[in-house]
Amino acid sequence: MRDATPKQSHLQHALMLFCVFIASVALSKVKILEPFYAQYQWAHAIFLCAIGSAMFLCVGWDQVKLPLTFMYSCFFKPLGQHDHIQERLESFYESQAHIYDDSRAKLLRGRKSMLRLCAAQIKEQIASGITPEKPIWIDLGGGTGWNIEQMNELFPIERFEKVILVDLTPSLCKVAKERFMRRGWKNVVVLCQDAATFETPYALEGSVGLVTISYSLSMMDHYFPVIDRVQSLLSPDGIVGVVDFYVSGKSRAAAEKWSPQAHRQCSWFTRVFWRLWFEFDHIHLEPGRRDYLEYKFGTIKSVNRRNHFVIPYIIQIPFYIWIGCSNARGFTSSASISDTQSVTSSACSSNNVIINPVKNEPFQLQNRQWRLDYNPSLPCHTQFRSYIYAFTWEDPRVDLAYLNLTREDVLFVITSAGDNALEYAIAAQPKRIHCVDMNPCQNHLLELKLASIASLSYHDFWRIFGDGYHPQFATLLHDIISPHLSSFAFQYWSNHSDRFLHKFYKTGYSGLALCLFEWWSRANGITKDVEALCRAETIEEQRTIWDNRIRPVLFSPFICKIMSNPMFMWNALGVPVNQMNMFLEECTMQEYIENTLDPIPSRSLFRNDQYFYYLCMMQRYSRESCPSYLTREGFDVLKTTEVLDNFRLHTDSILNTLRSLPDDYLTRLVVMDHMDWFDPNECSELDMEVKEMARTLQVGGQVFYRSAGTRPWYNTLFEKHGFKVTAISIRRPGESIDRVNMYASFYNAVLEQRT
């Protein structure tokens, strides 16, 4: 709303003074009211309230006029009977057209996000040569032209060949024309016509690069012809952007079988209440509208959210943001994933594996086909609210010394935070790197790293993952990174973009350990000693600080007590009970911690080599102490070569993923400490897993794994299936086997023959 003019302000003050004067006279001078007040004391209070309300309206009219006009137009104004839809719409909007944009800002959430995703997608397609330099844009149900004005900030209107706004409401179209006239845009046309049948002086069929539908699809009585018209208008490389209210059906939508979805289902109350509520305003939320849209087009992004309108967490209006394209685009890219077709984890069990038909693979439509399909609603995935590891806790330098990687290798690795997979890619650029994790959030994290490398400058990439802090992360996510992310990853990071507003590495379950260390250091007054340890110039200086200042505090009974708690070990360090039992059979918890940490200060400097512990103590990396993918040289290798295209991210169990791969396919497997998690008394699944490793590995292929035990019980399983098992390193007190030294042993199993 516009600010009040000086004349209006003077009038408001005059009216306020007049009201005060009348109230004073009524209360103190007009004696005739005294008997009435004496008999009806409540009338005195009502009179004062009326005077106060009048004063409030006079003083704050500019603040209350907008919501009052909005409420009257939407809830109280009689619409009457109309023979035509246009007449009904005009009756509804005519009195509020001038305040439409101001009154809808909080109700119609997601419009700017939809435009930003569309703009980012168009820019990426233009840069890739897929889309013409000057596409045509049609904004259906564009109303006052707010979308077009906002898009100008993201993708200048002059860069479109034509922009066509189509709306059926004359009063809203009038506002749009005035807006565009002020802007001086000559390539923008406003058509006051029906979205399904509008006509233009020029042929548009099959040539439109962008169609947007913003909170209008739900208002169209006949939506089938509108969606069909959009399909006929869209060019083969064109995209469609939709944002609207919705409610889900009682059961999962059919589109969830062929397009990536998360958090789509609504509760019974939400489904019933909002559908009835919006029906009063002729807004139709039946699920079929969205289902038909997703049936006719391929899905690039699908984000489901809730609008906490007016009263947060009580009022939650479901809305979705959807970016789609022609289904034909999927067929042209199907061959590119033929060797890594996705396993859909139908039950995350060892006995249920369903291969999606190529036609319905949702991730074929992504700009980067890193992510493979999975069902996010399964309990094996929903049990994870966040990633456990914000950083990888295995030393890749030792891995690379024994992996002997070449460009022809096909790797199978556990995702974790993705750091080591990126190290392997930098070192050898292998032909394929399969990253596997049951926790979807771990793959969201690696996918974000891959997308950021592909799209960002080194400066921004370092701020995000080196400093763990970037105040503009949300902007970068929408405007630059989003075209390279799957819907699942984009929705996750858009909901958690605040994790890069403070210290990223204190997030996730592993962040609990960093928070505990920070708190304990402050409580014991060793914060400066920790900083001195990370700046030490020599091993001798580093060792002295550790022995005299940090070790006595860190090995206190309190910390040992916490470390002995299985809940803390799992939630903060990702150590399950079965793994704890393995090392507790060989030593006490105190001894295991001492054997892990005591040799570290004598191995190498924290300031330029021990980036694992540097991160834990400083909660960020330094330029001298960081993984290779965060160095300028490593970043350039990943960005300028084609190695990023070699990643495939599987969100499933190791067993299911192995079963989806062909015989004699893999050359190296790096499974970290994964096998420690199994119960030695119930090892049938692990036995099947090792058997699948033998089937998918080429003869001579190798499996590398670490263990909290010096002699893992499952070594015999490898020998049973034709592997020769060799201990690369076994930790002894006072010695370290790598820069982390967290595990008691490091093993290699070579497939000699299949049994």
Side-chain angles (χ1 to χ4, degrees):
M1 292 292 293
R2 294 175 184 148
D3 296 332
T5 63
K7 184 176 181 180
Q8 289 174 326
S9 298
H10 292 320
L11 179 60
Q12 290 172 0
H13 285 97
L15 287 172
M16 182 183 68
L17 293 173
F18 178 73
C19 291
V20 172
F21 172 74
I22 293 297
S24 300
V25 171
L27 293 175
S28 60
K29 301 296 182 183
V30 182
K31 304 298 184 182
I32 193 171
L33 294 177
E34 289 183 356
F36 179 75
Y37 289 148
Q39 185 176 359
Y40 303 102
Q41 296 182 3
W42 51 265
H44 191 194
I46 291 178
F47 184 76
L48 288 175
C49 288
I51 295 298
S53 299
M55 293 172 61
F56 174 76
L57 289 174
C58 289
V59 175
W61 177 244
D62 286 337
Q63 285 70 39
V64 300
K65 180 180 178 181
L66 178 64
L68 288 177
T69 304
F70 170 74
M71 288 189 291
Y72 171 73
S73 300
C74 293
F75 307 122
F76 302 107
K77 179 183 176 182
L79 294 179
Q81 299 295 323
H82 302 281
D83 296 330
H84 301 287
I85 298 175
Q86 188 178 50
E87 294 175 358
R88 171 166 55 83
L89 290 172
E90 183 63 14
S91 174
F92 182 76
Y93 286 114
E94 184 178 16
S95 61
Q96 53 173 318
H98 63 292
I99 65 161
Y100 182 89
D101 293 336
D102 293 327
S103 62
R104 266 42 175 206
K106 294 183 179 180
L107 178 62
L108 307 183
R109 299 278 190 181
R111 293 180 293 170
K112 189 69 176 285
S113 294
M114 182 270 287
L115 294 172
R116 293 170 76 177
L117 292 175
C118 288
Q121 186 71 26
I122 289 175
K123 291 176 184 176
E124 178 63 25
Q125 292 186 182
I126 290 175
S128 302
I130 299 173
T131 297
E133 289 284 341
K134 303 194 73 172
I136 298 173
W137 174 24
I138 298 179
D139 189 24
L140 294 180
T144 63
W146 184 91
N147 278 356
I148 296 174
E149 189 171 62
Q150 294 298 312
M151 177 65 89
N152 186 58
E153 301 174 5
L154 308 168
F155 190 93
I157 298 303
E158 290 80 6
R159 292 185 61 183
F160 288 101
E161 180 182 344
K162 297 183 185 70
V163 179
I164 302 170
L165 183 150
V166 181
D167 199 279
L168 196 56
T169 310
S171 56
L172 298 182
C173 289
K174 179 182 177 183
V175 173
K177 290 178 180 178
E178 293 172 352
R179 168 177 265 144
F180 302 149
M181 189 175 297
R182 290 195 302 270
R183 288 282 192 167
W185 290 328
K186 304 299 183 183
N187 59 335
V188 182
V189 178
V190 178
L191 300 178
C192 192
Q193 300 180 38
D194 187 274
T197 59
F198 71 92
E199 298 179 354
T200 63
Y202 23 79
L204 293 176
E205 303 300 311
S207 63
V208 177
L210 172 63
V211 177
T212 53
I213 310 174
S214 176
Y215 285 100
S216 54
L217 184 62
S218 58
M219 299 187 68
M220 298 173 183
D221 291 347
H222 307 292
Y223 62 92
F224 286 109
V226 175
I227 295 175
D228 291 343
R229 183 71 191 282
V230 172
Q231 187 180 40
S232 68
L233 290 168
L234 202 66
S235 66
D237 55 87
I239 62 173
V240 184
V242 180
V243 57
D244 212 333
F245 301 118
Y246 85 98
V247 294
S248 66
K250 183 177 180 180
S251 57
R252 293 182 65 202
E256 294 185 64
K257 298 177 182 178
W258 64 73
S259 64
Q261 303 282 339
H263 311 299
R264 178 164 178 165
Q265 285 300 112
C266 303
S267 66
W268 175 87
F269 177 80
T270 299
R271 295 197 305 266
V272 174
F273 176 78
W274 289 117
R275 190 168 177 178
L276 292 174
W277 176 271
F278 282 107
E279 191 73 31
F280 287 113
D281 285 333
H282 299 275
I283 298 175
H284 311 288
L285 300 190
E286 58 268 18
R289 292 175 181 257
R290 183 177 177 185
D291 291 344
Y292 188 63
L293 174 73
E294 293 173 318
Y295 171 73
K296 299 292 283 187
F297 298 95
T299 298
I300 298 175
K301 293 283 187 300
S302 183
V303 180
N304 303 294
R305 291 179 175 168
R306 303 294 184 265
N307 180 359
H308 302 278
F309 184 62
V310 181
I311 307 175
Y313 305 107
I314 296 179
I315 296 180
Q316 299 186 58
I317 309 175
F319 71 97
Y320 70 97
I321 303 169
W322 181 86
I323 309 297
C325 63
S326 168
N327 273 316
R329 186 185 297 191
F331 293 103
T332 62
S333 61
S334 61
S336 63
I337 62 167
S338 59
D339 69 325
T340 57
Q341 194 164 10
S342 168
V343 174
T344 300
S345 48
S346 59
C348 288
S349 73
S350 59
N351 300 317
N352 294 289
V353 180
I354 298 176
I355 302 296
N356 273 1
V358 173
K359 178 181 178 181
N360 292 333
E361 270 287 350
F363 293 100
Q364 290 178 27
L365 302 176
Q366 306 300 319
N367 288 9
R368 298 280 189 152
Q369 295 173 8
W370 297 312
R371 198 66 175 267
L372 302 181
D373 189 22
Y374 74 101
N375 183 351
S377 65
L378 297 178
C380 59
H381 300 317
T382 57
Q383 66 177 313
F384 299 104
R385 301 186 305 275
S386 178
Y387 39 87
I388 297 175
Y389 311 103
F391 49 92
T392 300
W393 201 238
E394 284 81 17
D395 189 350
R397 182 182 296 168
V398 175
D399 294 355
L400 289 169
Y402 293 95
L403 280 167
N404 297 318
L405 294 176
T406 69
R407 290 178 180 267
E408 297 304 313
D409 278 308
V410 178
L411 271 69
F412 184 103
V413 304
I414 292 178
T415 302
S416 186
D419 300 355
N420 285 10
L422 292 169
E423 294 278 340
Y424 306 151
I426 294 170
Q429 302 172 41
K431 181 166 61 176
R432 184 71 76 217
I433 306 175
H434 292 279
C435 301
V436 185
D437 212 296
M438 184 81 81
N439 185 343
C441 304
Q442 297 292 165
N443 279 336
H444 296 335
L445 178 54
L446 176 54
E447 193 178 347
L448 178 65
K449 290 179 179 179
L450 295 174
S452 298
I453 293 168
S455 59
L456 297 180
S457 66
Y458 175 69
H459 172 74
D460 285 322
F461 184 74
W462 171 263
R463 294 191 68 185
I464 293 173
F465 294 109
D467 293 334
Y469 167 78
H470 200 312
Q472 301 302 318
F473 173 75
T475 300
L476 294 173
L477 178 68
H478 284 79
D479 295 351
I480 301 177
I481 304 173
S482 63
H484 305 278
L485 288 175
S486 65
S487 284
F488 294 137
F490 174 78
Q491 178 152 346
Y492 180 83
W493 290 114
S494 62
N495 291 339
H496 297 89
S497 58
D498 59 339
R499 296 197 170 182
F500 294 97
L501 294 181
H502 183 48
K503 294 181 178 180
F504 168 71
Y505 292 105
K506 290 175 68 175
T507 66
Y509 295 163
S510 61
L512 295 174
L514 271 65
C515 291
L516 175 63
F517 177 78
E518 180 184 37
W519 171 77
W520 192 241
S521 298
R522 289 179 177 177
N524 288 273
I526 62 168
T527 301
K528 291 185 178 179
D529 297 302
V530 169
E531 295 174 355
L533 181 73
C534 294
R535 294 194 305 265
E537 298 283 345
T538 64
I539 293 293
E540 291 74 16
E541 179 186 0
Q542 187 170 272
R543 184 82 239 181
T544 300
I545 296 172
W546 168 260
D547 289 338
N548 297 336
R549 295 295 300 159
I550 297 177
R551 188 185 190 280
V553 171
L554 202 58
F555 288 171
S556 69
F558 174 75
I559 294 297
C560 291
K561 184 75 172 177
I562 291 178
M563 296 290 285
S564 299
N565 187 307
M567 290 294 293
F568 177 82
M569 291 294 285
W570 168 244
N571 288 314
L573 300 177
V575 178
V577 172
N578 289 331
Q579 189 171 47
M580 280 188 65
N581 292 335
M582 286 187 69
F583 64 73
L584 289 177
E585 290 178 359
E586 301 179 352
C587 62
T588 65
M589 175 63 75
Q590 176 83 15
E591 290 171 339
Y592 195 87
I593 297 173
E594 291 176 353
N595 291 340
T596 297
L597 298 180
D598 272 338
I600 294 299
S602 301
R603 183 180 179 94
S604 60
L605 292 175
F606 286 26
R607 64 183 293 272
N608 59 15
D609 189 52
Q610 287 277 10
Y611 64 79
F612 308 95
Y613 291 101
Y614 184 98
L615 174 67
C616 293
M617 295 183 176
M618 304 304 293
Q619 295 151 19
R620 61 181 298 276
Y621 291 112
S622 72
R623 302 276 182 169
E624 294 76 29
S625 190
C626 64
S628 297
Y629 78 93
L630 283 172
T631 65
R632 184 58 188 252
E633 295 76 14
F635 177 84
D636 288 342
V637 169
L638 293 170
K639 193 176 186 69
T640 58
T641 64
E642 297 180 355
V643 69
L644 289 184
D645 295 330
N646 299 343
F647 280 84
R648 294 293 181 270
L649 279 56
H650 304 256
T651 308
D652 209 335
S653 67
I654 288 179
L655 179 56
N656 275 352
T657 306
L658 286 169
R659 284 178 165 174
S660 72
L661 301 176
D663 297 348
D664 301 314
Y665 174 62
L666 302 172
T667 62
R668 302 286 189 276
L669 288 92
V670 183
V671 293
M672 299 182 174
D673 61 329
H674 150 75
M675 291 176 290
D676 281 2
W677 295 28
F678 286 89
D679 185 343
N681 298 316
E682 299 178 7
C683 59
S684 59
E685 184 174 346
L686 182 56
D687 183 69
M688 289 186 288
E689 188 175 294
V690 176
K691 181 179 179 181
E692 286 299 313
M693 291 181 186
R695 181 188 63 82
T696 55
L697 262 176
Q698 299 174 9
V699 174
Q702 302 178 61
V703 182
F704 293 86
Y705 55 93
R706 289 175 168 85
S707 177
T710 56
R711 307 289 178 184
W713 57 268
Y714 44 80
N715 282 350
T716 57
L717 296 180
F718 281 94
E719 294 168 349
K720 170 185 172 183
H721 292 288
F723 288 89
K724 180 182 179 182
V725 178
T726 304
I728 297 175
S729 302
I730 294 179
R731 191 177 70 182
R732 292 176 175 81
E735 299 177 3
S736 62
I737 61 175
D738 56 36
R739 289 177 294 176
V740 180
N741 204 38
M742 182 62 67
Y743 301 100
S745 59
F746 181 34
Y747 277 85
N748 174 31
V750 180
L751 181 64
E752 294 187 326
Q753 61 181 359
R754 291 191 177 88
T755 57

